[in-house]
Amino acid sequence: MLILQRMATSSSFLSTPLLKASSSFPTHFLSPLKHCVSAPSTEFRALALYRNRNGVSTSSAAVATETQVSTPDDKLKENRKEKSDKLEKVVLPTNESSESLLRIRHTCAHVMAMAVQKLFPDAKVTIGPWIENGFYYDFDMEPLTDKELKRIKKEMDRIIGRNLPLIREEVSRDEAQRRITALNEPYKLEILDSIKEDRITIYHIGNEWWDLCAGPHVEYTGKINRKAVELESIAGAYWRGDEKKPMLQRIYGTAWESEDQLKAYLHFKEEAKRRDHRRLGQVLDLFSIQNDAGGGLVFWHPKGAIVRHVIEDLWKKIHIERGYDLLYTPHVGKADLWQISGHLDFYKENMYDQMNIEDELYQLRPMNCPYHVLIYKRRPHSYHDFPIRVAELGTVYRYELSGSLHGLFRVRGFTQDDAHIFCLEDQIKDEIRGVLDLTEELLLQFGFSKYEVNLSTRPEKSVGDDDIWVKATSALTDALDDKGWSYQIDDGGGAFYGPKIDLKIEDALGRKWQCSTIQVDFNLPQRFDITYVDSNSEKKRPIMIHRAVLGSLERFFGVLIEHYAGDFPLWLSPVQAHVLPVTDTQLDYCKEVTNKLKANGIRGELCHGERLPKLIRNSEMLKIPLMAVVGAKEVETGTVTVRSRFGGDLGTMAIDDFVSTIKLAIESRASI
């Protein structure tokens, strides 16, 4: 179930990621879908939340000075709050949780195809499945416009309103072929050829339209709520996904059991659009992808680079504390290295062409693993040396088709938070448990506390003896059980070289993102012939564990942007405070304040050149957590009047108090 509850993005619970599961953070804030609407709807609650969490009275803290400026229009806030409250708790079922919803969506696809062919008799139908949030159908026809989409929806409404029966019929293959040929539907003939069963099922809508289909459907079109159906978009799609085949018109629609569910879904969709990291990346000047340099190559702008720097520093600190040695390795290597590793055999389509350098072939690295193996091989090892843990923020390059590139989520060059553990067989469980603990510690820092965990077991084609597969899989299972995490078994879904654990994090909208992975590898130790000397002075092979927590810095940054809707928590925000003068006569004092912030490791910026209301609006648009407003009174008393994006006006503070308050909040991952 996906639950859309009272949603808010610009409140202090969004600014404060979970540090520890046992912290004083209120448990009801763990629901990721409480962060979903616009900031103004919860600004009034933010001050109370700040007071309750920090034991500070803020209601009377704001001192009336010439620097104070009213908040955005209160009426607008109330209207947004009222709209948000109407969606306080709407449950969105899934195809898996509701068979009736699946039947509705499948039937809607057929109703849409019938409507299209009524309006456009020359249109040829192909396939029309249900999908995660609705349905689509592909048509061979002239390109459609949004205006024509509305006509199709009206025709669908008429078909639904006629309450036509859905009738199942079973025919022979020859009879199905005869009927399809009579309709001149060439794509249906191709589909018929791909059906293996001897008896073919057909579904009719009344006696006016039919298609090859196995079902299921609703009994009558009237079972569909017209007000819970909407056609969303038109896209091009190649038949069978083959760019050498005809381009089709794909119409996407969404369908739900009730109008309230549709409204909640559309609200969710609009919120996802508002959070789109590609848009926010431009608005907040975080990153870009420059066509002049090539698609899929990320430019980290100063503000985005600062966030990356903070992430990297935290990542390194945690890894060093947990016994990892940090590495840096080359971006290219001899192609022979990738032949030995097997990447040229199994991964060649995702690798860039080789480079000839002085009659030797070199390769841009698609993986970091072989380099870490080479570092292991530089000297002999004894069983006393284990476990050996190495980690690297290593940039890799993988070929992706231009059509598949998508912001930070699908790129051609990215930095993995990669690590490898070399250990003994009886150390696998403890090392996996250590990785799970590290994963939890790191992800909680960024506010991710809900995970979907999958344990993938041995596939049909694999390397390694049965005994070691059993031991490795058992170690992964025991580690997960010790951790107390629930998980699903993906039977046969492991890599050919070993079993693995995959972890998906859940963001503020309830979407799941594959980030963390832990893989046991029996293949590379054998391919690179790495060994150690055991207690009997015999040579043995170590076990190799691959693991990544964030996945890649680029993709994880994109997830963070969308999770927080660009409203980063104070500790992670690229700019933590703006210093704003009322007039230019306070500029010198403002420079002193800004310099003091920077001297204390606080990311502060001086902004001037506009009237104060405009400076404040600009800061809010840029989602700056804190504003230090300075007027004549503040200069005279050596203070600043503090305005929090989440807490409103926090009153007048001495500069040293302002600095210490920020430092304490950053250290504790709290908001102000």
Side-chain angles (χ1 to χ4, degrees), residues 37 70 109 111 178 208 253 282 295 301 365 371 394 407 418 455 475 507-508 586 608 642:
V37 206
S70 60
V111 170
R178 185 190 67 76
E208 302 176 29
Q282 288 187 327
H301 297 187
R365 66 174 173 185
Y371 286 157
D418 212 355
L455 171 61
D507 72 4
Q586 291 93 39
H608 61 96
V642 182

Side-chain angles (χ1 to χ4, degrees), residues 231-401:
L231 298 186
E232 296 187 282
S233 62
I234 307 164
Y238 290 109
W239 171 236
R240 300 292 195 189
D242 187 342
E243 60 186 11
K244 296 178 181 178
K245 292 184 177 179
M247 172 67 76
L248 307 175
Q249 296 292 297
R250 175 171 295 178
I251 303 177
Y252 285 101
T254 188
W256 300 89
E257 296 167 326
S258 69
E259 188 177 0
D260 284 345
Q261 288 180 4
L262 174 61
K263 288 179 179 178
Y265 164 72
L266 294 176
H267 189 74
F268 171 88
K269 184 179 174 184
E270 188 62 29
E271 180 62 19
K273 182 179 178 181
R274 188 181 72 84
R275 291 168 179 262
D276 191 313
H277 74 281
R278 294 166 297 178
R279 183 186 70 83
L280 289 172
Q282 288 187 327
V283 171
L284 302 177
D285 196 22
L286 300 171
F287 72 92
S288 65
I289 295 173
Q290 305 281 346
N291 289 332
D292 290 345
L297 302 174
V298 180
F299 286 72
W300 294 75
H301 297 187
K303 290 179 180 178
I306 281 290
V307 179
R308 174 170 174 160
H309 171 72
V310 173
I311 295 171
E312 289 184 356
D313 277 359
L314 176 63
W315 186 90
K316 291 174 184 177
K317 177 177 179 293
I318 290 176
H319 279 75
I320 290 171
E321 289 173 352
R322 289 187 171 268
Y324 286 79
D325 293 316
L326 302 185
L327 306 176
Y328 292 98
T329 58
H331 288 228
V332 296
K334 288 185 178 180
D336 289 347
L337 188 64
W338 310 105
Q339 185 69 61
I340 296 171
S341 71
H343 288 97
L344 278 175
D345 294 329
F346 297 102
Y347 209 71
K348 188 173 183 179
E349 68 275 8
N350 293 105
M351 297 171 63
Y352 282 99
D353 291 343
Q354 297 170 0
M355 300 171 282
N356 190 315
I357 301 175
E358 296 181 350
D359 295 329
E360 286 190 303
L361 295 177
Y362 280 73
Q363 178 72 56
L364 275 173
R365 66 174 173 185
M367 302 281 188
N368 302 304
C369 334
Y371 286 157
H372 294 188
V373 174
L374 290 184
I375 289 178
Y376 175 92
K377 286 190 71 172
R378 75 192 188 281
R379 64 178 179 83
H381 291 280
S382 160
Y383 70 98
H384 293 296
D385 299 333
F386 296 103
I388 297 171
R389 308 182 189 104
V390 294
E392 177 181 12
L393 293 169
T395 302
V396 298
Y397 303 89
R398 299 181 187 173
Y399 174 68
E400 300 282 357
L401 292 172

Side-chain angles (χ1 to χ4, degrees), residues 51-64:
R51 179 170 60 251
N52 294 338
R53 291 190 57 207
N54 297 281
V56 176
S57 175
T58 58
S59 59
S60 60
V63 178

